[in-house]
Amino acid sequence: MSDDEGPPGRACSRPGEVAEPVRDPGLQPERTRLAWRRTTLSGTVAAVLAMKTALHGRVSVVGLVVCALCFGLWLGFLALAHHRIRVLATSAEPAALAPRHATATVLVTVALAACGAALVL
């Protein structure tokens, strides 16, 4: 290695300049995509079980409303997850999750958990 080269794995344009790390994504986008798929599957199972609980035995108006709310929230989460999976699959270097998508995902997940808790109680 000559004096004007930076350390391996680092991009350096001039001697003495601070080197920026070269991003090597490896399998990270694939692992993230698979994690989104697993989360979507577990959310689907939880939503189906919540709806089954709401409709088991006697059917009430409140149970139907909570069931419909769970279904709508699940569809919202499914759309957000599908969007992120598509972005991860189509780009060699996927962009970071947008703050509005991250916020929406967290809010939908918390709302689904609250609906599930309301159905169990």
Side-chain angles (χ1 to χ4, degrees), residues 53 114-121:
T53 301
C115 284
L119 286 172
V120 171
L121 297 177

Side-chain angles (χ1 to χ4, degrees), residues 50-65:
M51 286 185 243
K52 180 182 176 210
T53 301
L55 300 176
H56 188 264
R58 61 184 174 94
V59 178
S60 67
V61 175
V62 174
L64 286 175
V65 169

Side-chain angles (χ1 to χ4, degrees), residues 64-80:
L64 286 175
V65 169
V66 174
C67 185
L69 183 62
C70 283
F71 183 71
L73 289 168
W74 172 77
L75 283 177
F77 181 80
L78 191 63
L80 290 164

Side-chain angles (χ1 to χ4, degrees), residues 1-3 9 29 44 56-57 63 74 76 79 81 91 98 107 115:
M1 177 169 17
S2 68
D3 290 339
T44 301
H56 188 264
W74 172 77
S91 176
L107 290 175
C115 284

Side-chain angles (χ1 to χ4, degrees), residues 2 36 85 88:
S2 68
W36 275 100
I85 289 168
L88 289 169

Side-chain angles (χ1 to χ4, degrees), residues 36 77 80 97 99-113:
W36 275 100
F77 181 80
L80 290 164
L97 185 62
R100 67 184 176 120
H101 285 122
T103 303
T105 303
V106 168
L107 290 175
V108 168
T109 304
V110 169
L112 270 172

